[in-house]
Amino acid sequence: MFYEPAKGHGLPHDPFKAIVSPRPIGWISTVALNGDVNLAPYSFFNAFSTNPFLVWFSSEGAKDSATFAGETGEFVANLVGRDLAEKMSRTAVDAPRGVNEFAYAGLTPAPSRLVAPPRVAEAPAALECKVTEILRPKALDGSDSGVFVVTGEVVGVHIDDAMLTDGLFDAVKAGNVARLGYMDYSMVNETFQMRRPRWGKD
């Protein structure tokens, strides 16, 4: 089949998010200027540079995570392991501003080293980030998309020692959770290796 998004797809549910998947979940913790703490999952999240280490998350609308990150210039991206999937889902609740999602989901806020927002103590890994810019992408017609893309440089990395195997971060042990389309998720339970080819060496 082929469809133009502006004209509809004719399917029971929009397939776009299922096609662009799996998407790692950025479990973003932030603090507002008034001290309110927020924790929310974003599946429009990823790393896009290693020099410097840059990550981003995208908020459709000025939700608390993007607002607080803009106010203070800091956030933490926490990794969701399989054992935390249900608690992660609880933090997606549409609670009013001021509700502490750590407490609501039964999670432990742990102090970060270089930024103010706490990290999720139970997370297999966490990235402390400082905001470098917040982008406002436009739609094709030039109108405001209503999307806030928050970019941050990673200034500190926390890893649970139990997630290391021979000095390598083990995504299978962590059970990295990713978002698919609809209400579906996946987790890393198997990996395979391929070496990058070198020209003239095959």
Side-chain angles (χ1 to χ4, degrees):
M1 69 170 288
F2 170 81
Y3 74 94
E4 298 176 54
K7 297 179 179 178
H9 46 74
L11 299 171
H13 300 283
D14 190 341
F16 174 74
K17 292 180 181 179
I19 293 168
V20 185
S21 70
R23 300 185 306 279
I25 299 169
W27 205 6
I28 308 298
S29 50
T30 52
V31 174
L33 284 176
N34 67 2
D36 285 348
V37 175
N38 184 259
L39 177 65
Y42 287 82
S43 67
F44 288 115
F45 164 82
N46 221 314
F48 63 91
S49 172
T50 58
N51 186 25
F53 290 137
L54 293 173
V55 299
W56 62 263
F57 70 93
S58 177
S59 174
E60 294 185 344
K63 297 177 182 174
D64 287 356
S65 299
T67 300
F68 293 176
E71 287 180 358
T72 65
E74 298 177 337
F75 65 92
V76 179
N78 301 275
L79 180 68
V80 179
R82 178 62 186 92
D83 293 344
L84 294 171
E86 285 74 21
K87 290 188 175 184
M88 174 275 296
S89 182
R90 283 184 63 80
T91 64
V93 64
D94 57 346
R97 181 165 291 183
V99 170
N100 186 321
E101 289 84 3
F102 279 91
Y104 180 77
L107 294 161
T108 309
S112 296
R113 297 282 187 90
L114 302 174
V115 298
R119 59 190 175 86
V120 176
E122 295 85 354
L127 309 174
E128 297 186 14
C129 303
K130 295 201 173 186
V131 175
T132 59
E133 60 184 322
I134 298 178
L135 305 175
R136 297 292 304 275
K138 291 181 170 55
L140 187 60
D141 63 4
S143 64
D144 183 356
S145 66
V147 173
F148 295 75
V149 179
V150 181
T151 302
E153 181 169 343
V154 179
V155 296
V157 179
H158 297 265
I159 301 174
D160 182 343
D161 290 343
M163 300 301 147
L164 295 174
T165 299
D166 298 328
L168 302 177
F169 183 80
D170 193 325
V172 173
K173 277 186 181 177
N176 291 21
V177 173
R179 186 72 191 267
L180 304 175
Y182 319 118
M183 293 294 103
D184 300 330
Y185 293 82
S186 66
M187 63 172 284
V188 175
N189 53 22
E190 181 182 2
T191 62
F192 62 93
Q193 295 184 338
M194 291 192 296
R195 291 200 175 274
R196 185 176 180 176
R198 296 177 61 191
W199 186 257
K201 300 292 184 182
D202 293 346

